[in-house]
Amino acid sequence: MRILLVEDEAKVSSFIARGLAAERFAVDVAPDGPSGLDLANTYHYDLIMLDLMLPGMEGTEVLRRIRTKNSTVPVLILTAKDAVADKINNFEAGADDYLTKPFAFAELLVRIKALLRRGPVTRSSTVRVEDLELDRLSQQVKRAGKRIELTSKEYALLEYLMSNASRVLSRTMIIEHVWDQSFDGITNIVDVYVRHLRDKVDDGHERKLIRTVRGVGYTISSGEES
Ligand code: CA
């Protein structure tokens, strides 16, 4: 595991680097914003720790620039700035965690391990299956660039199918995910909603994306008809 630490206080960075080396992490230290950004763009790191008040370039700006090229590397902000506004600002810029100084090394270590356990995270809010596109943030759905209006249940069903594209989902899985546990309505509810979705998503298109897998359930995929 290789970690980049961008920190201008030599005492802090050597303390962290020594502690992490003892935990068998490989640590590169950058003492200012520009060299930190340079290293982040050059090497593959499993995690980046970033101070905010840095010479040359503010940590938040370094973070923004890292995110334009690398959306998946976990970034932990390590700073004396403890205002809620700073935290929000940096999480919005793409941070994954935020720890304020002074901190206990033991806490830093468990946070690092938790981030590494999670691994690279997909940050794109858009899922695609062929020319069908769903944006989880705006909750907009488009096929071939044309907007499709869905009810909230239709949207939830499509989102579930698209998040698991090419995977066959049983009716039970769909009910448990899209409806809640108290659902005890008609048993063919899934088929009814899939039919509605097909009308809106597949009708008028040569390629049918929503597929029935006989005796099992449904899937959405760009593959051949099953
Ligand atoms: Ca600093």
Side-chain angles (χ1 to χ4, degrees):
M1 292 284 182
R2 190 169 182 184
I3 295 179
L4 171 63
L5 171 61
V6 190
E7 167 67 69
D8 60 323
E9 282 170 71
K11 253 171 42 188
V12 177
S13 61
S14 68
F15 162 71
I16 296 173
R18 257 185 289 126
L20 291 178
E23 295 288 328
R24 302 182 179 203
F25 290 103
V27 186
D28 293 342
V29 178
D32 57 69
S35 64
L37 182 62
D38 197 40
L39 283 175
N41 286 335
T42 308
Y43 299 103
H44 174 88
Y45 290 103
D46 297 291
L47 182 129
I48 296 174
M49 273 184 286
L50 199 55
D51 182 21
L52 291 183
M53 290 179 279
L54 287 167
M57 191 189 293
E58 286 275 303
T60 309
E61 185 54 28
V62 176
L63 172 59
R64 281 207 187 90
R65 295 193 189 190
I66 289 172
R67 283 290 175 246
T68 62
K69 290 195 175 161
N70 184 339
S71 61
T72 58
V73 62
V75 174
L76 189 160
I77 303 289
L78 202 56
T79 179
K81 288 185 161 186
D82 58 0
V84 172
D86 286 316
K87 294 180 185 173
I88 291 173
N89 197 14
N90 282 281
F91 273 107
E92 284 180 349
D96 297 284
D97 199 1
Y98 196 107
L99 185 60
T100 50
K101 297 171 183 170
F103 58 88
F105 184 76
E107 182 176 357
L108 176 65
L109 190 61
V110 291
R111 283 174 186 264
I112 288 171
K113 286 181 176 173
L115 286 170
L116 292 173
R117 208 160 47 223
R118 224 187 286 163
V121 178
T122 308
R123 272 161 230 279
S124 170
S125 62
T126 312
V127 265
R128 270 188 200 86
V129 176
E130 288 212 353
D131 58 352
L132 180 64
E133 212 181 287
L134 178 145
D135 187 325
R136 294 194 179 98
L137 285 184
S138 64
Q139 304 209 336
Q140 279 194 12
V141 177
K142 288 178 186 166
R143 175 119 196 224
K146 217 178 137 215
R147 178 106 181 253
I148 299 171
E149 298 295 338
L150 299 176
T151 65
S152 59
K153 277 282 176 274
E154 289 165 358
Y155 174 85
L157 172 58
L158 184 63
E159 202 260 342
Y160 185 45
L161 286 168
M162 289 181 78
S163 301
N164 294 280
S166 300
R167 208 178 134 205
V168 181
L169 304 173
S170 71
R171 287 173 179 79
T172 309
M173 287 163 80
I174 294 172
I175 284 180
E176 281 174 1
H177 194 90
V178 177
W179 282 268
D180 58 41
Q181 293 199 317
S182 62
F183 178 81
D184 59 353
I186 48 172
T187 51
N188 70 340
I189 185 92
V190 173
D191 307 275
V192 171
Y193 273 85
V194 167
R195 199 156 61 231
H196 292 167
L197 260 190
R198 278 183 162 141
D199 287 348
K200 294 183 177 181
V201 169
D202 276 340
D203 242 29
H205 294 270
E206 202 181 322
R207 305 270 292 176
K208 309 296 181 202
L209 301 178
I210 301 171
R211 297 157 202 282
T212 307
V213 181
R214 220 166 277 283
V216 188
Y218 295 100
T219 184
I220 194 160
S221 76
S222 50
E224 290 306 305
E225 196 71 50
S226 52

